[in-house]
Amino acid sequence: MEKRDLIVRCIRTFNDFPTKGIPFKDIFPILKNPQALTAVIDLFEEYVRNTHPQVDLIVGLDARGFLFGPLLAQRLGIGFAPIRKKGKLPGPTISVSYSLEYAKAEAEMQEDAVSAGQKVLIIDDLLATGGTLQAAYELVKQQQAEVLACLVVVELKYLNGADKLKTTTVFSLVQY
């Protein structure tokens, strides 16, 4: 079976979560299936090695970007840095506010998480309206680092989230 097909088979939809009208794409079954999780990391690794072999750092978004980001970083032999919800990181931080499809939020990263001039990939589980990835992009750019691309397992194309990230590439494994 093709790797993408295995991944698609593991994604399920919960309607009206977390609020009415939202069709939530649940990626957690991927984590229960070792072959599916390996397929996700294999496909991300193949993309990065073929497209961005000069990457220095993976930045992952709270919380599901933490599931895939460290695994990919380890495969690539590079570091991983988290972006978290406001108030969850110790020490000096920088932050940015953003909108989700169903709420407002604030994201932050430690001031020393990314160095000026580093080539960075941002990873998360899902791209919907683009608010979270755009916030991560802005945080990385504030550190004078270069965002090479944003990687997601699932992209909800009908919400046009990639439009908010026109200045960078979005690579998604599965699109709806």
Side-chain angles (χ1 to χ4, degrees):
M1 170 182 310
E2 186 188 305
K3 291 177 183 181
R4 275 190 177 80
D5 292 338
L6 176 58
I7 294 164
V8 168
R9 282 197 2 225
C10 288
I11 297 168
R12 57 190 179 177
T13 302
F14 287 95
N15 290 315
D16 300 322
F17 183 85
T19 59
K20 189 162 181 58
I22 302 292
F24 186 87
K25 297 297 182 189
D26 180 19
I27 54 88
F28 288 129
I30 292 170
L31 303 176
K32 288 176 26 181
N33 182 321
Q35 293 81 18
L37 181 55
T38 298
V40 167
I41 303 306
D42 285 351
L43 291 171
F44 280 151
E45 180 185 14
E46 179 182 311
Y47 169 78
V48 172
R49 290 197 187 279
N50 290 334
T51 313
H52 303 291
Q54 72 285 15
V55 65
D56 298 313
L57 185 71
I58 302 288
V59 170
L61 291 155
D62 191 348
R64 290 178 295 273
F66 296 0
L67 304 172
F68 304 105
L71 295 173
L72 179 59
Q74 183 181 39
R75 285 256 193 109
L76 297 170
I78 61 176
F80 172 82
I83 291 180
R84 300 219 49 204
K85 294 174 179 84
K86 181 88 171 150
K88 300 289 185 182
L89 290 171
T93 61
I94 58 171
S95 66
V96 66
S97 296
Y98 64 99
S99 295
L100 297 165
E101 58 272 25
Y102 50 83
K104 290 220 180 271
E106 200 167 348
E108 69 181 356
M109 70 187 318
Q110 291 173 316
E111 283 182 355
D112 63 355
V114 177
S115 300
Q118 279 190 308
K119 296 180 184 327
V120 174
L121 292 170
I122 300 171
I123 192 167
D124 203 4
D125 67 323
L126 183 130
L127 170 59
T129 61
T132 308
L133 279 174
Q134 182 183 33
Y137 179 88
E138 289 175 23
L139 283 171
V140 171
K141 295 303 279 182
Q142 282 182 32
Q143 301 295 80
Q144 285 87 47
E146 179 185 352
V147 177
L148 299 175
C150 295
L151 284 62
V152 294
V153 178
V154 175
E155 180 179 359
L156 304 178
K157 299 283 273 184
Y158 60 91
L159 292 176
N160 302 312
D163 291 351
K164 288 186 179 171
L165 299 156
K166 287 181 181 166
T167 57
T168 193
T169 301
V170 173
F171 175 75
S172 54
L173 300 180
V174 178
Q175 298 86 31
Y176 292 97

